[in-house]
Amino acid sequence: MSDSFALAADQLRELDRDRYAASLVIPAAHRSAVQSIFAFSAEIAAVRERVSEPVPGEIRLQWWVDAIEGEGHGAIASNPVADALFRTLERYELPSGPLLRLLAARRFDLYHDPMPDIGQFEGYAGETVSVLFQYAAMILAGGPVDQAADAAGHLGVAQALVGHVRAFGYNASRGQLFLPLALFTAHGVREADIYAGKDSEGLRAALAQAGELAQTHAEKAALAIAGLDAGIRPAFASLALVKADIRGLGRQIDQPLTALPPPSAFSRLAATIWWALRNAR
């Protein structure tokens, strides 16, 4: 494995330990390739944390667009995540279009417009999360895997929903709402109440509904994954973490504006390994 792939794996472990844990059950021959895709996603997701204004974030995202479209700035190889990513795209003959759509979707993160409804949220989750599972499946299969689309789609939405329920208080404190605003208004919660940090029964009911939607998508993902070839299923090991998060949502919903301690890295790794032993053989 080249230095770029090793450094990309380190970056993934630092920025997204859950996806790093899920990558460890990928067969060794393909693990670094999957990690390069995941590391790219983690790098892009972190852009909003690294900038205080949208413009610097837009510039960073455009750098990646230029690099992917072949209009790089002459130093692509000096960026280990980019180098590993492009080596993976070339080796596995993967399409770059989904990466461009991921970058376009992530522009939402830089601004303070609320996510309007569940349809928009599902589209966002598909472009930013589901696509990662689709890429991982393609890497393991050695080519397009149309039958993995349902598994990737449902798992991506489930993971995005549960992740944003857990991060709800933090995002609200920053004046951002990633969960569908329509869920909250249906329970009598105004957008201004969310940003003001006002807890209420309606707020908790809306978050509980988001959790129920995550559960529904996770169940559909599990059924779709079960129908895939065993060699492809490791791409979907994140299902174990989504299920664990769904089981723990009650505690978060009872304290919707509080950032609870994250689970231990060991427990996350153990969950993915145990899932893979039962489902990917």
Side-chain angles (χ1 to χ4, degrees):
M1 181 169 60
S2 75
D3 288 344
S4 289
F5 283 99
L7 291 170
D10 289 343
Q11 181 85 326
L12 174 63
R13 183 171 60 246
E14 177 184 347
L15 295 178
D16 190 340
R17 66 178 187 174
D18 274 2
R19 221 170 289 286
Y20 178 75
S23 77
L24 295 181
V25 304
I26 299 291
H30 303 294
R31 186 177 302 140
S32 63
V34 171
Q35 287 177 334
S36 74
I37 298 289
F38 289 178
F40 163 76
S41 171
E43 176 77 14
I44 300 308
V47 168
R48 79 181 182 105
E49 302 296 332
R50 294 171 172 170
V51 298
S52 57
E53 298 289 339
V55 172
E58 290 276 10
I59 291 171
R60 185 57 182 165
L61 295 182
Q62 189 60 46
W63 184 92
W64 280 98
V65 170
D66 292 345
I68 292 169
E69 291 183 336
E71 301 173 14
H73 304 281
I76 301 302
S78 67
N79 181 317
V81 173
D83 186 48
L85 174 69
F86 296 140
R87 287 172 184 252
T88 294
L89 294 180
E90 181 177 3
R91 174 186 171 189
Y92 291 91
E93 299 181 343
L94 299 172
S96 60
L99 300 181
L100 295 173
R101 291 192 288 275
L102 183 153
L103 289 164
R106 282 294 183 186
R107 285 192 161 91
F108 175 87
D109 301 10
L110 304 177
Y111 298 91
H112 292 267
D113 298 323
M115 186 69 68
D117 54 45
I118 189 61
Q120 292 286 326
F121 182 90
E122 289 177 345
Y124 172 85
E127 302 287 11
T128 59
V129 185
S130 299
V131 64
L132 305 179
F133 301 123
Q134 193 72 38
Y135 268 123
M138 292 174 68
I139 288 170
L140 293 182
V145 194
D146 292 341
Q147 63 268 36
D150 280 350
H154 288 299
L155 184 54
V157 174
Q159 189 170 53
L161 280 167
V162 76
H164 282 299
V165 171
R166 292 178 62 191
F168 171 78
Y170 173 73
N171 287 325
S173 71
R174 292 163 54 98
Q176 291 185 295
L177 180 62
F178 287 85
L179 291 170
L181 178 60
L183 287 182
F184 296 93
T185 56
H187 291 279
V189 179
R190 300 176 304 164
E191 184 181 352
D193 296 335
I194 294 171
Y195 301 145
K198 293 183 179 179
D199 192 2
S200 68
E201 289 301 318
L203 179 67
R204 299 185 185 201
L207 293 174
Q209 186 177 353
E212 291 167 2
L213 288 171
Q215 175 71 37
T216 297
H217 280 286
E219 291 172 353
K220 291 179 178 179
L223 287 174
I225 293 166
L228 297 174
D229 292 341
I232 301 174
R233 291 179 204 155
F236 301 94
S238 292
L239 178 62
L241 305 182
V242 172
K243 286 184 173 181
D245 287 340
I246 289 172
R247 290 193 296 270
L249 276 188
R251 184 170 170 232
Q252 181 67 68
I253 292 169
D254 286 342
Q255 306 172 72
L257 301 169
T258 301
L260 300 180
S264 71
F266 176 80
S267 70
R268 304 302 262 182
L269 179 58
T272 56
I273 291 174
W274 181 238
W275 182 91
L277 289 173
R278 290 183 298 163
N279 295 278
R281 300 180 65 180

